[in-house]
Amino acid sequence: MPPLRHRIASLPTLVVPPLALLCASCASLHRNADQSDEMRPQAVDPLTGTGQLAVSAFRSTGMAAVRQPFTTIRTGLAVLWHRPREIVTGNVPAEIIPQPQPTEIPGTPEFDKLLDSKGIPLQEQGKVSFLVDGREFFGEVDRQLASTKKTVDVQVFIYDNDDIAVRYSDLFKQKSQEAKVRVLFDDLGSTFAHRAAPETPAPAGFTPPADIASYLKSGSEVRVRRTMNPWLICDHTKLLIFDRRTAILGGMNIGREYYSEWHDLMVKVEGPAVGSLTKQFNRAWRKAGPFGDFALFRKPGEVQRPEKIPDGIPVRLMRTDAARGQRHILNASLLAIRAARKRIWIENPYFAHDETALALAAAARRGVDVRVILPARGDSTIMDVGNLATARDLINAGAKIYRYPRMTHMKVMICDGWAQVGSANLDTLSMRINRELNLAFSDPATVKALENRVFLPDFRASKTIRVEETASPIAPIAEAVADQL
């Protein structure tokens, strides 16, 4: 997910500080502040954008408090607890209470039983295939739309208003004439995205819609809802479901960056696990409706679970959701890192979570092959400097840190024979506060496929970061801010 788009300067002064602090890892403090005139047609004009942002901020806070009182209270308590906790964790020389190394090795049945015992959601069956970069992901969306007969459900953090978003809006609108189409996107994330253009220029004569929700609904049967943002916290989930039989999840949103500019990953899932993903989408859809939290008291409709299919493997659907007290992704990640014997390979654009960094440093010191791929140039200066601060500590502990030559937005991890992919960054928001969705598995052939499709090519394409390259005069400030993102 990109952090908060950079054009925050025009916001009212009372709104800027909480938005900048609470959401900076949810949309972007983008480097592309000085867009050329030829790129500006990809973004709404400043006056319109400021008005939309004001409306979005009201919906995110005032309306959320009325419609989602339980979510607002629980999320607020999580924010008040976890942000100070991260400050403490980030300023101690080692883990406060050293964690013993689990005897269960990641990738073994024993490790999966350990995850079961720790309250991580149980495994389900699903066939998994990887979609690397926008060409594969959007190509698969095109194929699914062409063959889908009954339902299309789309949930993203950012539904942009550039030419790619308009193209897919037109496809969804067309499909809505023969199938039920629902689109759910994060209110703040998408509103910020509309205010900044991608790096590549728009086609000649293109004008972005001022309101992508209105554009989706105009002349079609598409149903559109926005997820609310109590305490300005985001729903960072990316999930598309076709006919309730095929799901695609991972790191990509709907927009130009994901289509052709950034390096990213989605996972196609078929089989029984899609039934659980459909239930999760339905829950988010009901909650985003006019009755908010109160809609969840009604019994949900039945979802027919797809049958097992050939080549299916055990998969585990993991969430972060502060309102429900879910930290599956963090808990499973820390267990896998602490239990790893041979390797921990990670690719992630934003690494500012101290507890994870401390566990990785401990693994490197005990001889584990710890490698982390970061983007050479991300979309947030603060997070880039924060990444380097994390890199410095890990290099000193014996880890290898790599710089991918362009923006990599992948969120991928392999620990020995256990792997996970999804939407979660390695920061406080994704680990403890935002709503996130990851998928984990330990099937040897699938882990090997992830290694071959992602890590080995990206290691070859990247350059190792030397410890002297991690110095920055603003590192202390950037690291303190990044710890809160």
Side-chain angles (χ1 to χ4, degrees):
M1 108 184 136
L4 280 170
R5 303 266 180 181
H6 63 277
R7 293 189 177 94
I8 310 179
S10 59
L11 288 175
T13 55
L14 292 178
V15 177
V16 174
L19 283 178
L21 182 58
L22 293 176
C23 301
S25 154
C26 294
S28 87
L29 297 165
H30 207 297
R31 270 205 175 107
N32 298 334
D34 298 322
Q35 299 284 359
S36 65
D37 289 340
E38 67 177 358
M39 295 184 185
R40 289 191 184 280
Q42 288 278 62
V44 297
D45 64 89
L47 181 61
T48 301
T50 300
Q52 290 175 338
L53 199 54
V55 172
S56 177
F58 171 74
R59 283 194 301 253
S60 298
T61 53
M63 289 181 63
V66 175
R67 290 186 183 180
Q68 299 179 353
F70 310 115
T71 296
T72 299
I73 292 171
R74 292 202 65 176
T75 302
L77 291 173
V79 170
L80 290 173
W81 168 248
H82 291 305
R83 291 198 182 281
R85 185 182 187 280
E86 188 68 12
I87 294 174
V88 173
T89 304
N91 287 279
V92 294
E95 292 181 277
I96 298 175
I97 302 177
Q99 299 292 322
Q101 184 177 28
T103 58
E104 300 85 352
I105 300 173
T108 64
E110 291 75 19
F111 183 75
D112 280 313
K113 290 179 181 178
L114 174 64
L115 294 180
D116 293 343
S117 71
K118 298 298 184 180
I120 311 298
L122 300 178
Q123 294 177 314
E124 306 176 64
Q125 200 250 18
K127 181 180 178 181
V128 171
S129 53
F130 303 112
L131 305 171
V132 179
D133 291 338
R135 181 171 151 185
E136 293 187 12
F137 165 53
F138 286 98
E140 183 63 31
V141 172
D142 291 341
R143 287 188 288 273
Q144 292 295 331
L145 285 174
S147 61
T148 294
K149 303 297 183 184
K150 297 180 180 179
T151 62
V152 177
D153 293 328
V154 177
Q155 182 181 4
V156 289
F157 169 61
I158 287 176
Y159 199 117
D160 219 326
N161 65 342
D162 56 27
D163 61 306
I164 297 302
V166 167
R167 172 187 170 184
Y168 280 90
S169 296
D170 290 341
L171 290 174
F172 294 146
K173 292 166 74 169
Q174 180 181 350
K175 195 67 185 182
S176 73
Q177 305 305 316
E178 57 181 283
K180 294 180 180 179
V181 179
R182 297 183 292 178
V183 176
L184 178 63
F185 57 81
D186 188 85
D187 196 352
L188 276 180
S190 297
T191 302
F192 271 103
H194 296 170
R195 294 166 53 82
E199 294 186 356
T200 48
F206 174 78
T207 300
D211 184 346
I212 197 65
S214 297
Y215 183 84
L216 278 161
K217 290 186 286 188
S218 177
S220 79
E221 300 300 319
V222 176
R223 299 178 65 193
V224 182
R225 288 180 179 175
R226 297 176 172 91
T227 57
M228 292 184 173
N229 307 95
W231 297 92
L232 306 177
I233 298 304
C234 304
D235 191 328
H236 195 229
T237 303
K238 292 93 172 176
L239 173 64
L240 298 86
I241 306 173
F242 302 92
D243 275 347
R244 300 184 175 181
R245 293 189 174 275
T246 302
I248 304 176
L249 61 93
M252 294 194 219
N253 296 293
I254 305 295
R256 165 64 66 180
E257 287 94 339
Y258 313 94
Y259 185 80
S260 61
E261 295 177 356
W262 290 359
H263 187 42
D264 213 334
L265 180 69
M266 297 291 273
V267 182
K268 177 182 172 183
V269 183
E270 301 168 278
V274 178
S276 295
L277 290 168
T278 300
K279 290 179 181 178
Q280 292 188 21
F281 179 92
N282 287 343
R283 189 180 194 280
W285 178 263
R286 296 199 316 274
K287 189 173 178 178
F291 297 103
D293 285 343
F294 302 99
L296 301 180
F297 289 106
R298 294 184 298 178
K299 185 178 179 180
E302 292 294 327
V303 174
Q304 185 174 359
R305 188 179 182 84
E307 296 180 358
K308 291 186 177 182
I309 61 175
D311 302 322
I313 65 170
V315 298
R316 198 182 296 268
L317 302 172
M318 306 189 301
R319 283 281 186 185
T320 301
D321 189 339
R324 303 183 72 186
Q326 294 176 337
R327 294 190 295 277
H328 308 146
I329 298 170
L330 172 61
N331 294 340
S333 298
L334 290 176
L335 279 173
I337 291 169
R338 288 166 178 154
R341 303 306 201 269
K342 295 182 179 180
R343 66 169 174 177
I344 303 170
W345 294 355
I346 293 172
E347 186 163 349
N348 205 286
Y350 317 114
F351 197 160
H353 188 252
D354 291 315
E355 194 172 1
T356 302
L358 288 168
L360 281 175
R365 285 192 293 269
R366 67 174 183 266
V368 176
D369 175 19
V370 176
R371 307 187 205 178
V372 179
I373 301 174
L374 302 169
R377 176 182 177 273
D379 63 344
S380 164
T381 302
I382 289 176
M383 296 305 292
D384 281 353
V385 177
N387 282 348
L388 290 178
T390 302
R392 180 186 62 247
D393 294 340
L394 291 177
I395 293 170
N396 287 332
K400 294 180 181 178
I401 313 298
Y402 296 82
R403 181 181 282 118
Y404 190 74
R406 57 193 178 97
M407 174 58 177
T408 174
H409 195 245
M410 290 193 176
K411 302 91 164 53
V412 196
M413 175 188 292
I414 296 178
C415 295
D416 289 348
W418 180 86
Q420 65 168 317
V421 301
S423 69
N425 298 309
L426 291 174
D427 56 26
T428 302
L429 283 174
S430 286
M431 292 293 102
R432 294 185 175 276
I433 299 173
N434 276 345
R435 195 159 185 262
E436 305 282 357
L437 172 63
N438 276 18
L439 179 141
F441 48 88
S442 9
D443 173 68
T446 309
V447 174
K448 187 68 175 178
L450 180 63
E451 177 183 328
N452 290 335
R453 291 295 316 277
V454 173
F455 281 104
L456 295 184
D458 289 1
F459 286 141
R460 288 193 294 268
S462 303
K463 293 184 178 180
T464 306
I465 299 176
R466 302 188 308 271
V467 69
E468 55 267 26
E469 297 178 80
T470 64
S472 171
I474 64 169
I477 297 174
E479 188 174 7
V481 174
D483 282 347
Q484 293 299 297
L485 303 182

mmCIF file of all heavy atoms in Angstrom, residues 371-401:
data_model
loop_
_atom_site.group_PDB
_atom_site.id
_atom_site.type_symbol
_atom_site.label_atom_id
_atom_site.label_comp_id
_atom_site.label_asym_id
_atom_site.label_seq_id
_atom_site.Cartn_x
_atom_site.Cartn_y
_atom_site.Cartn_z
ATOM 1 N N ARG A 371 17.709 -12.404 4.959
ATOM 2 C CA ARG A 371 17.817 -11.492 3.825
ATOM 3 C C ARG A 371 16.525 -10.686 3.708
ATOM 4 O O ARG A 371 15.420 -11.254 3.812
ATOM 5 C CB ARG A 371 18.047 -12.242 2.515
ATOM 6 C CG ARG A 371 19.204 -13.208 2.520
ATOM 7 C CD ARG A 371 19.447 -13.757 1.127
ATOM 8 N NE ARG A 371 20.105 -15.051 1.143
ATOM 9 C CZ ARG A 371 20.395 -15.756 0.053
ATOM 10 N NH1 ARG A 371 20.071 -15.265 -1.140
ATOM 11 N NH2 ARG A 371 20.984 -16.937 0.153
ATOM 12 N N VAL A 372 16.666 -9.395 3.469
ATOM 13 C CA VAL A 372 15.513 -8.507 3.344
ATOM 14 C C VAL A 372 15.692 -7.652 2.098
ATOM 15 O O VAL A 372 16.735 -7.024 1.911
ATOM 16 C CB VAL A 372 15.353 -7.602 4.579
ATOM 17 C CG1 VAL A 372 14.152 -6.671 4.406
ATOM 18 C CG2 VAL A 372 15.205 -8.433 5.850
ATOM 19 N N ILE A 373 14.667 -7.620 1.248
ATOM 20 C CA ILE A 373 14.671 -6.779 0.053
ATOM 21 C C ILE A 373 13.777 -5.568 0.307
ATOM 22 O O ILE A 373 12.602 -5.716 0.648
ATOM 23 C CB ILE A 373 14.168 -7.538 -1.179
ATOM 24 C CG1 ILE A 373 15.041 -8.764 -1.450
ATOM 25 C CG2 ILE A 373 14.148 -6.623 -2.407
ATOM 26 C CD1 ILE A 373 14.523 -9.658 -2.573
ATOM 27 N N LEU A 374 14.346 -4.378 0.128
ATOM 28 C CA LEU A 374 13.634 -3.121 0.281
ATOM 29 C C LEU A 374 13.675 -2.368 -1.051
ATOM 30 O O LEU A 374 14.553 -2.613 -1.880
ATOM 31 C CB LEU A 374 14.286 -2.265 1.366
ATOM 32 C CG LEU A 374 14.391 -2.883 2.765
ATOM 33 C CD1 LEU A 374 15.292 -2.028 3.648
ATOM 34 C CD2 LEU A 374 13.011 -3.033 3.392
ATOM 35 N N PRO A 375 12.755 -1.437 -1.284
ATOM 36 C CA PRO A 375 12.812 -0.674 -2.534
ATOM 37 C C PRO A 375 13.955 0.335 -2.533
ATOM 38 O O PRO A 375 14.266 0.935 -1.497
ATOM 39 C CB PRO A 375 11.453 0.036 -2.575
ATOM 40 C CG PRO A 375 11.025 0.132 -1.154
ATOM 41 C CD PRO A 375 11.574 -1.086 -0.467
ATOM 42 N N ALA A 376 14.596 0.509 -3.686
ATOM 43 C CA ALA A 376 15.633 1.529 -3.805
ATOM 44 C C ALA A 376 15.038 2.911 -3.623
ATOM 45 O O ALA A 376 15.639 3.797 -3.015
ATOM 46 C CB ALA A 376 16.317 1.430 -5.162
ATOM 47 N N ARG A 377 13.842 3.084 -4.135
ATOM 48 C CA ARG A 377 13.164 4.374 -4.020
ATOM 49 C C ARG A 377 11.689 4.102 -3.794
ATOM 50 O O ARG A 377 10.971 3.709 -4.693
ATOM 51 C CB ARG A 377 13.355 5.196 -5.295
ATOM 52 C CG ARG A 377 12.615 6.519 -5.314
ATOM 53 C CD ARG A 377 12.855 7.220 -6.663
ATOM 54 N NE ARG A 377 12.114 8.474 -6.758
ATOM 55 C CZ ARG A 377 10.859 8.565 -7.185
ATOM 56 N NH1 ARG A 377 10.201 7.467 -7.528
ATOM 57 N NH2 ARG A 377 10.252 9.731 -7.250
ATOM 58 N N GLY A 378 11.263 4.277 -2.553
ATOM 59 C CA GLY A 378 9.870 4.063 -2.230
ATOM 60 C C GLY A 378 9.042 5.290 -2.537
ATOM 61 O O GLY A 378 9.487 6.216 -3.221
ATOM 62 N N ASP A 379 7.831 5.320 -2.014
ATOM 63 C CA ASP A 379 6.959 6.459 -2.272
ATOM 64 C C ASP A 379 6.812 7.344 -1.044
ATOM 65 O O ASP A 379 5.933 8.185 -0.980
ATOM 66 C CB ASP A 379 5.580 5.997 -2.765
ATOM 67 C CG ASP A 379 4.843 5.178 -1.721
ATOM 68 O OD1 ASP A 379 5.495 4.725 -0.758
ATOM 69 O OD2 ASP A 379 3.630 4.989 -1.867
ATOM 70 N N SER A 380 7.702 7.164 -0.070
ATOM 71 C CA SER A 380 7.652 7.973 1.139
ATOM 72 C C SER A 380 9.071 8.196 1.650
ATOM 73 O O SER A 380 9.776 7.239 1.980
ATOM 74 C CB SER A 380 6.818 7.281 2.225
ATOM 75 O OG SER A 380 7.060 7.860 3.490
ATOM 76 N N THR A 381 9.501 9.434 1.699
ATOM 77 C CA THR A 381 10.845 9.740 2.181
ATOM 78 C C THR A 381 11.023 9.297 3.624
ATOM 79 O O THR A 381 12.069 8.743 3.997
ATOM 80 C CB THR A 381 11.125 11.251 2.053
ATOM 81 O OG1 THR A 381 10.977 11.634 0.688
ATOM 82 C CG2 THR A 381 12.523 11.594 2.526
ATOM 83 N N ILE A 382 10.022 9.542 4.458
ATOM 84 C CA ILE A 382 10.109 9.155 5.868
ATOM 85 C C ILE A 382 10.301 7.649 5.995
ATOM 86 O O ILE A 382 11.165 7.168 6.739
ATOM 87 C CB ILE A 382 8.856 9.609 6.629
ATOM 88 C CG1 ILE A 382 8.854 11.131 6.790
ATOM 89 C CG2 ILE A 382 8.774 8.935 8.000
ATOM 90 C CD1 ILE A 382 7.602 11.673 7.438
ATOM 91 N N MET A 383 9.502 6.883 5.246
ATOM 92 C CA MET A 383 9.607 5.437 5.352
ATOM 93 C C MET A 383 10.910 4.920 4.744
ATOM 94 O O MET A 383 11.471 3.934 5.216
ATOM 95 C CB MET A 383 8.400 4.770 4.695
ATOM 96 C CG MET A 383 7.077 5.076 5.380
ATOM 97 S SD MET A 383 7.059 4.668 7.154
ATOM 98 C CE MET A 383 7.148 2.873 7.100
ATOM 99 N N ASP A 384 11.411 5.591 3.704
ATOM 100 C CA ASP A 384 12.705 5.194 3.139
ATOM 101 C C ASP A 384 13.819 5.328 4.178
ATOM 102 O O ASP A 384 14.663 4.439 4.325
ATOM 103 C CB ASP A 384 13.034 6.054 1.917
ATOM 104 C CG ASP A 384 12.281 5.606 0.668
ATOM 105 O OD1 ASP A 384 11.622 4.555 0.721
ATOM 106 O OD2 ASP A 384 12.346 6.319 -0.348
ATOM 107 N N VAL A 385 13.835 6.449 4.881
ATOM 108 C CA VAL A 385 14.855 6.656 5.909
ATOM 109 C C VAL A 385 14.634 5.681 7.066
ATOM 110 O O VAL A 385 15.590 5.132 7.631
ATOM 111 C CB VAL A 385 14.853 8.116 6.400
ATOM 112 C CG1 VAL A 385 15.870 8.305 7.525
ATOM 113 C CG2 VAL A 385 15.164 9.064 5.246
ATOM 114 N N GLY A 386 13.371 5.452 7.424
ATOM 115 C CA GLY A 386 13.083 4.458 8.453
ATOM 116 C C GLY A 386 13.553 3.070 8.055
ATOM 117 O O GLY A 386 14.087 2.320 8.881
ATOM 118 N N ASN A 387 13.378 2.722 6.763
ATOM 119 C CA ASN A 387 13.879 1.440 6.266
ATOM 120 C C ASN A 387 15.389 1.319 6.466
ATOM 121 O O ASN A 387 15.907 0.267 6.859
ATOM 122 C CB ASN A 387 13.558 1.299 4.772
ATOM 123 C CG ASN A 387 12.111 0.916 4.512
ATOM 124 O OD1 ASN A 387 11.386 0.541 5.418
ATOM 125 N ND2 ASN A 387 11.714 1.017 3.268
ATOM 126 N N LEU A 388 16.107 2.417 6.170
ATOM 127 C CA LEU A 388 17.564 2.387 6.300
ATOM 128 C C LEU A 388 17.993 2.231 7.759
ATOM 129 O O LEU A 388 18.998 1.576 8.049
ATOM 130 C CB LEU A 388 18.169 3.651 5.697
ATOM 131 C CG LEU A 388 18.098 3.760 4.164
ATOM 132 C CD1 LEU A 388 18.680 5.083 3.701
ATOM 133 C CD2 LEU A 388 18.835 2.599 3.507
ATOM 134 N N ALA A 389 17.230 2.831 8.668
ATOM 135 C CA ALA A 389 17.553 2.671 10.086
ATOM 136 C C ALA A 389 17.402 1.215 10.510
ATOM 137 O O ALA A 389 18.236 0.669 11.234
ATOM 138 C CB ALA A 389 16.651 3.576 10.926
ATOM 139 N N THR A 390 16.315 0.577 10.047
ATOM 140 C CA THR A 390 16.132 -0.844 10.325
ATOM 141 C C THR A 390 17.240 -1.661 9.675
ATOM 142 O O THR A 390 17.789 -2.593 10.274
ATOM 143 C CB THR A 390 14.762 -1.311 9.815
ATOM 144 O OG1 THR A 390 13.728 -0.531 10.433
ATOM 145 C CG2 THR A 390 14.529 -2.781 10.138
ATOM 146 N N ALA A 391 17.584 -1.302 8.425
ATOM 147 C CA ALA A 391 18.633 -2.023 7.696
ATOM 148 C C ALA A 391 19.962 -1.960 8.438
ATOM 149 O O ALA A 391 20.686 -2.972 8.513
ATOM 150 C CB ALA A 391 18.777 -1.445 6.292
ATOM 151 N N ARG A 392 20.288 -0.797 8.987
ATOM 152 C CA ARG A 392 21.553 -0.636 9.709
ATOM 153 C C ARG A 392 21.660 -1.624 10.860
ATOM 154 O O ARG A 392 22.671 -2.313 11.027
ATOM 155 C CB ARG A 392 21.679 0.796 10.226
ATOM 156 C CG ARG A 392 22.967 1.066 10.994
ATOM 157 C CD ARG A 392 22.969 2.453 11.599
ATOM 158 N NE ARG A 392 21.903 2.642 12.568
ATOM 159 C CZ ARG A 392 20.863 3.473 12.402
ATOM 160 N NH1 ARG A 392 20.755 4.195 11.303
ATOM 161 N NH2 ARG A 392 19.941 3.592 13.335
ATOM 162 N N ASP A 393 20.611 -1.715 11.654
ATOM 163 C CA ASP A 393 20.641 -2.620 12.810
ATOM 164 C C ASP A 393 20.741 -4.082 12.373
ATOM 165 O O ASP A 393 21.440 -4.884 13.000
ATOM 166 C CB ASP A 393 19.387 -2.413 13.659
ATOM 167 C CG ASP A 393 19.356 -1.029 14.302
ATOM 168 O OD1 ASP A 393 20.430 -0.403 14.417
ATOM 169 O OD2 ASP A 393 18.253 -0.575 14.669
ATOM 170 N N LEU A 394 20.022 -4.430 11.288
ATOM 171 C CA LEU A 394 20.051 -5.813 10.832
ATOM 172 C C LEU A 394 21.403 -6.172 10.218
ATOM 173 O O LEU A 394 21.914 -7.284 10.416
ATOM 174 C CB LEU A 394 18.922 -6.051 9.826
ATOM 175 C CG LEU A 394 17.506 -6.014 10.404
ATOM 176 C CD1 LEU A 394 16.468 -6.191 9.315
ATOM 177 C CD2 LEU A 394 17.322 -7.085 11.477
ATOM 178 N N ILE A 395 22.000 -5.250 9.466
ATOM 179 C CA ILE A 395 23.323 -5.500 8.893
ATOM 180 C C ILE A 395 24.336 -5.719 10.008
ATOM 181 O O ILE A 395 25.183 -6.629 9.946
ATOM 182 C CB ILE A 395 23.753 -4.333 7.984
ATOM 183 C CG1 ILE A 395 22.858 -4.277 6.740
ATOM 184 C CG2 ILE A 395 25.212 -4.464 7.572
ATOM 185 C CD1 ILE A 395 23.040 -3.020 5.914
ATOM 186 N N ASN A 396 24.264 -4.910 11.041
ATOM 187 C CA ASN A 396 25.191 -5.055 12.177
ATOM 188 C C ASN A 396 25.014 -6.392 12.894
ATOM 189 O O ASN A 396 25.945 -6.890 13.539
ATOM 190 C CB ASN A 396 25.007 -3.901 13.154
ATOM 191 C CG ASN A 396 25.560 -2.592 12.612
ATOM 192 O OD1 ASN A 396 26.490 -2.589 11.797
ATOM 193 N ND2 ASN A 396 24.998 -1.475 13.055
ATOM 194 N N ALA A 397 23.797 -6.959 12.770
ATOM 195 C CA ALA A 397 23.547 -8.261 13.400
ATOM 196 C C ALA A 397 23.955 -9.429 12.503
ATOM 197 O O ALA A 397 23.932 -10.580 12.942
ATOM 198 C CB ALA A 397 22.071 -8.389 13.763
ATOM 199 N N GLY A 398 24.314 -9.128 11.223
ATOM 200 C CA GLY A 398 24.744 -10.185 10.319
ATOM 201 C C GLY A 398 23.790 -10.495 9.196
ATOM 202 O O GLY A 398 24.030 -11.428 8.408
ATOM 203 N N ALA A 399 22.693 -9.744 9.064
ATOM 204 C CA ALA A 399 21.731 -9.964 7.981
ATOM 205 C C ALA A 399 22.228 -9.308 6.688
ATOM 206 O O ALA A 399 23.080 -8.417 6.705
ATOM 207 C CB ALA A 399 20.366 -9.410 8.357
ATOM 208 N N LYS A 400 21.664 -9.749 5.574
ATOM 209 C CA LYS A 400 21.933 -9.137 4.273
ATOM 210 C C LYS A 400 20.699 -8.356 3.841
ATOM 211 O O LYS A 400 19.595 -8.909 3.802
ATOM 212 C CB LYS A 400 22.268 -10.205 3.229
ATOM 213 C CG LYS A 400 23.562 -10.953 3.491
ATOM 214 C CD LYS A 400 23.805 -11.989 2.408
ATOM 215 C CE LYS A 400 25.097 -12.758 2.676
ATOM 216 N NZ LYS A 400 25.329 -13.811 1.638
ATOM 217 N N ILE A 401 20.902 -7.080 3.530
ATOM 218 C CA ILE A 401 19.798 -6.217 3.111
ATOM 219 C C ILE A 401 20.037 -5.796 1.666
ATOM 220 O O ILE A 401 21.144 -5.387 1.304
ATOM 221 C CB ILE A 401 19.668 -4.976 4.016
ATOM 222 C CG1 ILE A 401 19.730 -5.382 5.487
ATOM 223 C CG2 ILE A 401 18.381 -4.229 3.698
ATOM 224 C CD1 ILE A 401 18.611 -6.304 5.934
#
